Amino acid sequence: MVLEVQLTTDLAIILLGATVLGFLAKQTGQPTIVAYIIAGVILGPAVLGIVGVTELTDALSELGLAFLLFLLGIKMQLEDVRHILVPIIKISIPQMAAVALAGMGISVVLGFTLLESVLIGLAVMYSSTAVVVKMLNDKDEATSLHGKIDVGVLLVQDIVVVILLAVLAAGRPDDIAEIATTLAIVLVLAALVTVAAIGASQYVLPHVFRRIADNTEVFFLIALSWAFLFVFISDEINLFLAPFGIEAYLSIEMGAFLAGLAIAQLPYSKELRDRVNPLTDLFVMIFFVTVALTLERNELLFYWQEALLAAAVLMPVKFVIFFSLINWQRFSLETTFLGSINMIQISEFGIIVGVAAQQGGFIGTEVLGFLTLLALVTMGVSVYFIEFNHRLFERVEPVLSRWAVDGEFQESKKTYRDHAVVIGLDEVSNTALPILTDRYEDVLVVDRTVDHIEQLEAAGYDTLYGDVQNTTIRKDAAIKAADFVLSSSVQTEINKAVLREAADDATVFVEARRIDDARELYDEGANSVLMGPHLAAVRLERYLEMYFEDRTKFQHLIEGDKEMIELKVDHSTAIVEGDLDE
Amino acid sequence: MSELLTTISLMFIITGPFLLIGNRFDLPTVPFLIIAGIVAGFVIDENLALELARYGIALLVFMFGIRIDLTNARPILRDSEVAAIGQILVVGGLGIGVGILFGIPLAEAVYLGIAVAFSSTIVGTALLQTEIRQELVRGRLAETIHFIQDLVAIVILLVLGAETLTADPIATQLGYGVVLFALAFLLDRYLLDVVGRLADDSDELMIIGIISLLVLFVAAATLAGVSIVVGAFAAGLAIRYNPVEHPGLFNGLVSIRDFFLAIFFVTVGALVVVPFVELGVAASVEKLLLVVGLVILTAVIKPVVTTAILIKSGYEARTSTLTSLSSDQISEFALIIAIEALLLEMLTQNVFDAIILAAAVTMITSSLTQQYNERIYRAVSSWITFEGTHAKIDERSSVPERPTEHVIIVGYGRKGQLLVDACENSDLPYVVIDNDPARLDSISSACDAYVFGDAMEMYTWDKANVEAATLVVSTVNSTPVSNRLLSFDFEADLILHTDDAAEGVTFFERGALYVSVSDVLAGEELAQQLRRLFDDGLSPEQLREERIAELNTYVAVVKDRDSGIVDVSQ
């Protein structure tokens, strides 16, 4: 009965617990993921036992993973990824085989049965998408070269885990042929969904999103709708295949990633990141807290010594395997090191594989507890390695340098420096564009209107679609490195943010409506604050006096203004027609 | 994938095409979410999403509470509170009456009254964005009316929590509610500061921390047995802050709210038992008749009543009509009240459905009336002469002797004030035209001659004796007003304002003596400064000093007029 609907306390407790530990972590300089995992351990059956997994938390944590991958997809430019596809395959397949063997060996040494050891091996070969992608996002390294390698490897692992889960769900496989069929079907499906996503990004999405890009709310909801479409299809693909007598699954993570990838190819995708990010943060937090919620204390701690030992051995082993493989693909030493150190943990998929294996009757709950503890410990520890990966690299670089190769993959992204940034195209900033083009090699215009962006691009300007209120956009516009910034926004807070971000020696022009705002902006370091309405008011006052005192002079003045306005209109049309640069 | 996640996925997938259609025709989002929900209702189990939907409600109310600025609210409230409360009583009463006519028991008819009385803040203010940005009287007026209605709606939700309508539980409920609000006022941003300090600039922790606080308040409300809406509102009040202080937090909360709110509206739609499809013919007809009744009340009677009340409280006919046309829809708060009442079994499915359907319809019609508001006003005013308006203008205007060879200044914003000063300095006769009641006091104390009326009305101009005037200066940045002034074809010279250079050129062509385009002037000033920087070797620091000095001179000139925080955009 609907009458019974109350907000469940579990979610509230999870939120509060995560908040308290999150604050503690922040104050002591620890990464938040560790705080969330510990919150889960404390709140869950292992310690206090006040929270269990509910339908709601379960759905939200699944959503967390899906959104995390969607967000990641939104950040990926196809042409940036294409050239590293082959190396990624060459790295990921041997890596999984090697780690699985290592995991198996350790398990046998630790006294697990052979079957248990094989399954443990299969469970530990993945690195954690949640940890790595979340950390890459937080550190803003998702689109760096090592970030892309890691993400690529994680996606290949994703495909493998989906296949493995399908096999485990079917019970003990009869023969190799069955596994091969499942593998083939999953690969074909993944390829089909990829083609659909990329095809849509070429032919369908540009038209759809062109229309809605100016309405932030609709844009956001349609993007979510698009993401859910892929999530749904990936998850329910069985429904579509059942009539053909085929059984197969795809992961919702992969669907979400591809949905994001399709949107990423559009010029309007940047702003979406800042919209999806908060939802992702919230749901991923729930994901990390709920990881530890399934197990009782004695199950979790039954093999605690073995788990700690395995963690201590597996993390360095994983690092060495990744390092040799990425190095073998001739990436630079730094990329190799960072790409490897990020991937040393055991994945949440390890737990999921464990659950499937336990349900399939391959292993007992205690082994599942071992896997869970192993994953929790390695995730927690690896977060510190990722957090401080650059500093670590500086320390170990001399030792590693003998493995250095000539880096084959160089990033060729355009980076702005000493350029001019114009925020918002309007009558005022429009006047400045030709003058700035004469002076600066790069003039970048940031605007939130699709029409403006198209006009400017036609006229040959560099453009960035998005709202400067978003940090991502400010970063992409490289306001920090700009020599000149003109903001035609009259929102003082935006202008203040721009002023704070701009370098001390940069020249910054802003607009304001009120005198008090103008003063504040000068205090923040503005070089000039334009106040159009005040200017107009003062001029009009002067004209009024002139009108009654000296009509000829008045006529003369207004003729000048009139010409200016007409010139302005011609000039604006010039931008549309794209002949400004001539 | 869990069943709940499948449900949410389907909800969003179905919503997509409907949003595209709505956007294609520039219609608001909310009704299309509801319609998508009605369709989704056939394939999903909406009860699964009810809990998420209630988070949507909580977040909506919470964000409403956050934005309440108690220091600024006072002076605006006075303007329209009579109008808002009068409208709620009259229209609400009519709604209850219609319900009883349909044979609905009084206890349920009350909800019909509630539904028709409140207008939607989301839809109304979204439609009015331009008016609000231009700070037109009707934008501010409509905003205030919506605001007061939302407050009253929250009080009703507070009372609604008491499941039986006997006096005693209501008293207890109110008691708990008051305690929560008192707590909110005592905390007064203290919590926000604490969270801000602990989160240490991390948007992620800031958002999670603030959501936790919201959940705490909601939990307290649940424990006390009052509606979660009350808890969420109190949480908003306790945290209330200026969105620009923590833009990351605000944008994050908006994203999260939009996500859950979409689920709420779709769920509401899915709860509807669709006439004819899921229901027999007789019952369907009955339900649809009720829907029609509600739509007529909301989209026709309500604006009429509101207009009448506004005219009575001193606004002139055009402002009143246009304001009313922006509140002719059913509120999202009415939806919340309806869903709460349905869950408490105080409302039958039939009445609930009628309210939801009528809400979807009126939200769409409302954007149409908004689009054609000027035409509707023209049409209405040609049938009915708004009685007493001329008398009102006469009563509130002061034009001592019929002026000749004078200047008529439209709008008493900063520009208008500067012009009045200029006239007074040169001993020129002038008449000010304005229609903002909030400015009446300052106009009457500072100006010798003024007409308090709408510049769109000829009577106002007769009153200002435009035939004998030398010059008309409009400081109002509004295309309809400028067009109207050009079409009057006065003998006097005409000076206009606009933001758009192209429009400025057409105004010149159509006979304006001068058009002030502030952006062009600012652009010219900017170009000059840039040339001096790049070509004449002026250093950025020199420019800065020069500009600050200029500002100081300017402030010194206008200092005696006021503190310098008045906007000049009008």
Side-chain angles (χ1 to χ4, degrees):
Chain A
M1 182 60 228
V2 281
L3 191 68
E4 305 298 323
V5 174
Q6 285 290 341
L7 298 182
T8 40
T9 44
D10 285 17
L11 185 58
I13 296 170
I14 288 176
L15 266 166
L16 287 175
T19 306
V20 170
L21 282 165
F23 285 161
L24 263 177
K26 186 78 197 175
Q27 293 298 314
T28 50
Q30 315 301 313
T32 46
I33 297 181
V34 176
Y36 299 154
I37 295 178
I38 293 177
V41 173
I42 294 176
L43 296 173
V47 181
L48 295 176
I50 47 173
V51 178
V53 178
T54 64
E55 171 86 18
L56 182 67
T57 51
D58 198 27
L60 291 184
S61 64
E62 272 188 87
L63 210 49
L65 267 193
F67 273 21
L68 191 61
L69 272 289
F70 179 57
L71 185 63
L72 180 69
I74 302 178
K75 293 185 176 176
M76 290 285 160
Q77 290 295 321
L78 219 46
E79 59 259 44
D80 297 349
V81 193
R82 199 179 294 146
H83 66 289
I84 53 168
L85 271 183
V86 176
I88 283 173
I89 306 278
K90 286 190 184 161
I91 293 166
S92 52
I93 304 291
Q95 170 266 320
M96 280 186 278
V99 176
L101 280 176
M104 227 175 89
I106 295 161
S107 311
V108 172
V109 172
L110 288 173
F112 289 99
T113 68
L114 189 61
L115 181 62
E116 283 171 347
S117 302
V118 170
L119 281 159
I120 291 172
L122 290 174
V124 297
M125 63 191 191
Y126 323 102
S127 303
S128 166
T129 314
V131 170
V132 176
V133 175
K134 172 94 172 103
M135 290 301 287
L136 286 173
N137 272 337
D138 289 357
K139 299 187 73 180
D140 203 24
E141 288 179 7
T143 49
S144 63
L145 188 53
H146 67 268
K148 281 187 278 196
I149 295 172
D150 288 347
V151 168
V153 171
L154 287 167
L155 285 170
V156 175
Q157 293 180 348
D158 211 23
I159 298 179
V160 174
V161 84
V162 166
I163 297 168
L164 184 64
L165 286 175
V167 174
L168 286 174
R172 292 170 194 242
D174 299 333
D175 50 47
I176 295 293
E178 196 181 316
I179 300 178
T181 326
T182 317
L183 176 69
I185 295 172
V186 171
L187 284 178
V188 168
L189 288 177
L192 281 179
V193 178
T194 312
V195 169
I198 292 171
S201 78
Q202 299 281 324
Y203 302 106
V204 184
L205 295 185
H207 302 289
V208 174
F209 279 86
R210 165 75 180 74
R211 274 188 189 285
I212 56 172
D214 291 339
N215 185 336
T216 2
E217 192 200 355
V218 174
F219 185 44
F220 176 57
L221 293 178
I222 294 281
L224 289 185
S225 177
W226 174 252
F228 276 113
L229 180 67
F230 274 69
V231 166
F232 185 76
I233 290 179
S234 307
D235 190 63
E236 305 284 328
I237 206 144
N238 229 356
L239 282 182
F240 305 107
L241 293 177
F244 307 103
I246 308 170
E247 196 175 334
Y249 304 91
L250 285 176
S251 69
I252 58 173
E253 287 82 26
M254 190 186 306
F257 175 76
L258 289 171
L261 193 68
I263 292 183
Q265 312 314 314
L266 303 173
Y268 329 115
S269 62
K270 293 222 161 88
E271 193 161 298
L272 200 55
R273 295 181 200 172
D274 288 293
R275 295 280 281 163
V276 178
N277 213 345
L279 273 175
T280 311
D281 282 346
L282 182 64
F283 295 152
V284 168
M285 177 276 283
I286 296 171
F287 168 83
F288 282 114
V289 176
T290 49
V291 166
L293 288 187
T294 40
L295 289 172
E296 293 294 330
R297 184 182 343 184
N298 47 2
E299 292 164 351
L300 191 64
L301 297 183
F302 192 84
Y303 285 121
W304 69 272
Q305 286 158 319
E306 284 83 350
L308 292 184
L309 257 173
V313 176
L314 272 177
M315 284 193 287
V317 168
K318 273 196 156 191
F319 173 77
V320 170
I321 292 173
F322 267 106
F323 189 88
S324 348
L325 288 168
I326 302 179
N327 189 252
W328 167 56
Q329 287 300 311
R330 308 187 64 80
F331 284 96
S332 75
L333 195 61
E334 186 174 11
T335 304
T336 308
F337 179 83
L338 296 176
S340 310
I341 200 80
N342 287 357
M343 304 283 275
I344 58 173
Q345 68 296 101
I346 309 298
S347 169
E348 62 281 357
F349 289 141
I351 304 173
I352 296 172
V353 168
V355 170
Q358 187 239 334
Q359 282 164 355
F362 299 97
I363 58 170
T365 336
E366 288 77 18
V367 182
L368 177 59
F370 163 81
L371 279 173
T372 310
L373 192 58
L374 184 59
L376 290 181
V377 170
T378 53
M379 279 182 189
V381 173
S382 79
V383 161
Y384 290 95
F385 282 100
I386 305 177
E387 178 77 27
F388 302 111
N389 53 7
H390 289 282
R391 268 193 258 170
L392 263 175
F393 176 68
E394 279 164 29
R395 288 274 175 81
V396 295
E397 193 183 0
V399 187
L400 295 175
S401 55
R402 61 179 152 131
W403 282 289
V405 290
D406 299 327
E408 188 184 338
F409 288 95
Q410 291 299 326
E411 293 279 46
S412 58
K413 231 181 192 176
K414 181 165 185 178
T415 43
Y416 289 106
R417 176 139 280 287
D418 291 332
H419 57 306
V421 179
V422 174
I423 296 160
L425 179 71
D426 65 359
E427 310 263 8
V428 183
S429 56
N430 199 349
T431 322
L433 285 180
I435 307 174
L436 291 173
T437 320
D438 287 344
R439 170 84 182 184
Y440 291 98
E441 202 173 311
D442 291 315
V443 179
L444 175 69
V445 188
V446 186
D447 199 286
R448 238 230 65 113
T449 314
V450 179
D451 281 341
H452 288 170
I453 293 288
E454 285 174 358
Q455 286 168 22
L456 289 160
E457 276 181 354
Y461 288 101
D462 285 3
T463 59
L464 181 62
Y465 174 87
D467 192 334
V468 261
Q469 262 176 309
N470 298 331
T471 28
T472 322
I473 301 293
R474 287 206 296 275
K475 220 177 275 170
D476 282 354
I479 289 179
K480 275 199 178 108
D483 182 60
F484 181 92
V485 183
L486 163 65
S487 164
S488 68
S489 166
V490 286
Q491 281 173 270
T492 311
E493 289 310 316
I494 294 185
N495 287 336
K496 277 203 222 158
V498 168
L499 280 164
R500 260 173 245 145
E501 185 126 352
D504 287 344
D505 57 348
T507 312
V508 185
F509 278 61
V510 291
E511 281 189 51
R513 268 192 174 165
R514 299 170 180 186
I515 295 173
D516 285 4
D517 293 346
R519 279 201 192 288
E520 260 187 78
L521 291 167
Y522 280 124
D523 288 344
E524 292 276 350
N527 292 93
S528 178
V529 181
L530 303 163
M531 292 192 290
H534 283 260
L535 195 65
V538 172
R539 192 172 290 207
L540 199 62
E541 184 185 18
R542 196 152 55 88
Y543 283 11
L544 185 74
E545 280 161 11
M546 202 72 71
Y547 176 84
F548 288 101
E549 283 161 17
D550 186 346
R551 196 62 71 91
T552 22
K553 199 169 172 195
F554 173 82
Q555 264 324 339
H556 182 71
L557 282 173
I558 65 167
E559 280 308 320
D561 279 8
K562 190 177 165 187
E563 268 169 39
M564 206 161 73
I565 296 168
E566 283 164 353
L567 206 70
K568 183 86 213 173
V569 175
D570 295 342
H571 174 84
S572 307
T573 8
I575 275 214
V576 183
E577 285 156 12
D579 50 4
L580 247 193
D581 288 346
E582 277 133 83
Chain B
M1 188 157 84
S2 66
E3 212 181 331
L4 176 56
L5 193 52
T6 313
T7 308
I8 301 173
S9 304
L10 283 171
M11 282 178 152
F12 274 95
I13 295 170
I14 294 171
T15 302
F18 286 97
L19 288 181
L20 287 179
I21 296 170
N23 188 68
R24 174 77 189 72
F25 297 102
D26 277 333
L27 294 169
T29 324
V30 179
F32 285 89
L33 290 172
I34 297 176
I35 297 171
I38 294 175
V39 175
F42 292 104
V43 286
I44 60 166
D45 178 8
E46 60 272 11
N47 289 322
L48 280 176
L50 266 182
E51 187 168 353
L52 289 175
R54 302 192 88 201
Y55 277 104
I57 299 176
L59 281 160
L60 171 70
V61 177
F62 174 65
M63 299 285 282
F64 172 69
I66 275 186
R67 277 184 305 177
I68 291 180
D69 185 348
L70 293 156
T71 45
N72 280 345
R74 264 294 104 197
I76 338 167
L77 276 186
R78 217 181 312 129
D79 276 7
S80 19
E81 59 198 10
V82 183
I85 290 169
Q87 181 221 32
I88 292 171
L89 291 178
V90 176
V91 182
L94 286 172
I96 297 174
V98 167
I100 290 172
L101 272 182
F102 273 89
I104 293 166
L106 180 65
E108 276 194 61
V110 170
Y111 292 102
L112 293 180
I114 290 171
V116 292
F118 297 117
S119 340
S120 165
T121 313
I122 296 182
V123 177
T125 42
L127 292 173
L128 278 173
Q129 271 318 306
T130 342
E131 281 78 2
I132 293 171
R133 214 176 314 122
Q134 294 185 344
E135 299 188 13
L136 295 184
V137 184
R138 63 171 187 276
R140 196 191 59 219
L141 195 56
E143 242 185 339
T144 320
I145 291 180
H146 283 141
F147 175 76
I148 292 167
Q149 290 183 344
D150 290 350
L151 281 183
V152 176
I154 284 169
V155 173
I156 291 178
L157 278 162
L158 184 57
V159 177
L160 187 66
E163 292 180 34
T164 45
L165 282 172
T166 53
D168 196 38
I170 292 184
T172 335
Q173 294 278 305
L174 283 173
Y176 283 129
V178 167
V179 169
L180 268 181
F181 287 130
L183 189 65
F185 279 104
L186 281 177
L187 289 170
D188 188 31
R189 293 173 50 97
Y190 172 73
L191 286 176
L192 179 71
D193 292 342
V194 171
V195 171
R197 228 173 312 124
L198 288 173
D200 198 14
D201 265 357
S202 152
D203 281 345
E204 176 190 349
L205 281 175
M206 193 86 187
I207 290 168
I208 292 175
I210 294 297
I211 301 261
S212 291
L213 286 178
L214 166 63
V215 167
L216 265 184
F217 268 85
V218 169
T222 316
L223 277 182
V226 288
S227 163
I228 59 160
V229 172
V230 176
F233 186 61
L237 285 182
I239 291 163
R240 69 184 178 281
Y241 78 110
N242 187 351
V244 291
E245 280 173 45
H246 303 277
L249 171 64
F250 186 72
N251 292 338
L253 288 176
V254 168
S255 285
I256 294 170
R257 179 196 65 187
D258 286 355
F259 174 77
F260 284 101
L261 207 52
I263 295 179
F264 166 66
F265 286 122
V266 176
T267 309
V268 165
L271 282 171
V272 170
V273 176
V274 185
F276 297 114
V277 185
E278 296 173 294
L279 211 58
V281 174
S284 298
V285 170
E286 191 194 333
K287 188 184 285 184
L288 286 186
L289 277 178
L290 190 54
V291 173
V292 171
L294 288 180
V295 169
I296 293 176
L297 261 182
T298 314
V300 183
I301 314 280
K302 177 153 77 173
V304 171
V305 171
T306 315
T307 309
I309 293 176
L310 285 175
I311 292 179
K312 260 266 178 294
S313 44
Y315 291 90
E316 36 73 44
R318 183 165 160 276
T319 305
S320 306
T321 316
L322 298 187
T323 307
S324 310
L325 286 178
S326 65
S327 47
D328 55 350
Q329 73 290 94
I330 288 178
S331 161
E332 59 276 0
F333 274 100
L335 299 184
I336 296 176
I337 293 175
I339 202 172
E340 295 277 298
L342 181 75
L343 295 182
L344 291 170
E345 292 187 329
M346 293 163 76
L347 198 60
T348 52
Q349 183 71 40
N350 204 33
V351 178
F352 173 80
D353 291 353
I355 292 175
I356 306 300
L357 291 174
V361 172
T362 53
M363 281 173 178
I364 294 174
T365 54
S366 171
S367 64
L368 296 177
T369 56
Q370 177 68 19
Q371 210 170 332
Y372 298 108
N373 56 8
E374 289 283 352
R375 274 194 236 175
I376 296 174
Y377 168 67
R378 248 4 111 55
V380 172
S381 60
S382 64
W383 301 330
I384 322 159
T385 36
F386 287 101
E387 222 175 287
T389 36
H390 290 182
K392 202 105 202 174
I393 295 181
D394 291 344
E395 179 196 317
R396 301 212 279 184
S397 301
S398 156
V399 190
E401 62 254 27
R402 278 190 90 67
T404 48
E405 295 188 350
H406 55 300
V407 184
I408 299 179
I409 298 162
V410 183
Y412 193 68
R414 166 73 70 139
K415 282 178 202 154
Q417 292 171 33
L418 277 174
L419 293 176
V420 166
D421 287 342
C423 290
E424 281 177 353
N425 287 342
S426 339
D427 269 334
L428 291 167
Y430 69 92
V431 177
V432 170
I433 293 179
D434 202 320
N435 68 342
D436 184 349
R439 285 184 186 152
L440 184 55
D441 285 350
S442 63
I443 295 177
S444 61
S445 64
C447 305
D448 301 337
Y450 55 90
V451 178
F452 197 79
D454 190 348
M456 302 285 277
E457 301 291 338
M458 196 53 214
Y459 183 81
T460 309
W461 291 96
D462 289 340
K463 187 90 189 153
N465 201 21
V466 70
E467 291 94 62
T470 319
L471 181 65
V472 173
V473 190
S474 163
T475 64
V476 182
N477 202 344
S478 148
T479 312
V481 171
S482 301
N483 281 330
R484 187 94 171 136
L485 295 191
L486 284 164
S487 74
F488 281 141
D489 214 8
F490 299 129
E491 287 288 313
D493 287 328
L494 183 60
I495 294 182
L496 295 174
H497 261 87
T498 178
D499 268 346
D500 180 42
E503 193 176 70
V505 172
T506 28
F507 288 166
F508 269 121
E509 283 162 5
R510 289 172 57 193
L513 175 68
Y514 177 67
V515 184
S516 169
V517 189
S518 54
D519 277 359
V520 172
L521 298 179
E524 190 53 33
E525 191 186 36
L526 169 66
Q528 269 174 23
Q529 290 174 24
L530 290 181
R531 278 187 216 107
R532 288 179 60 211
L533 275 180
F534 299 153
D535 304 337
D536 304 346
L538 181 78
S539 80
E541 195 43 43
Q542 282 171 326
L543 174 71
R544 182 177 135 86
E545 279 159 19
E546 202 178 279
R547 294 286 291 160
I548 294 176
E550 264 175 54
L551 180 69
N552 288 338
T553 333
Y554 175 64
V555 175
V557 172
V558 294
K559 196 180 60 189
D560 53 339
R561 287 165 195 156
D562 56 41
S563 60
I565 47 166
V566 177
D567 204 304
V568 286
S569 51
Q570 285 191 52

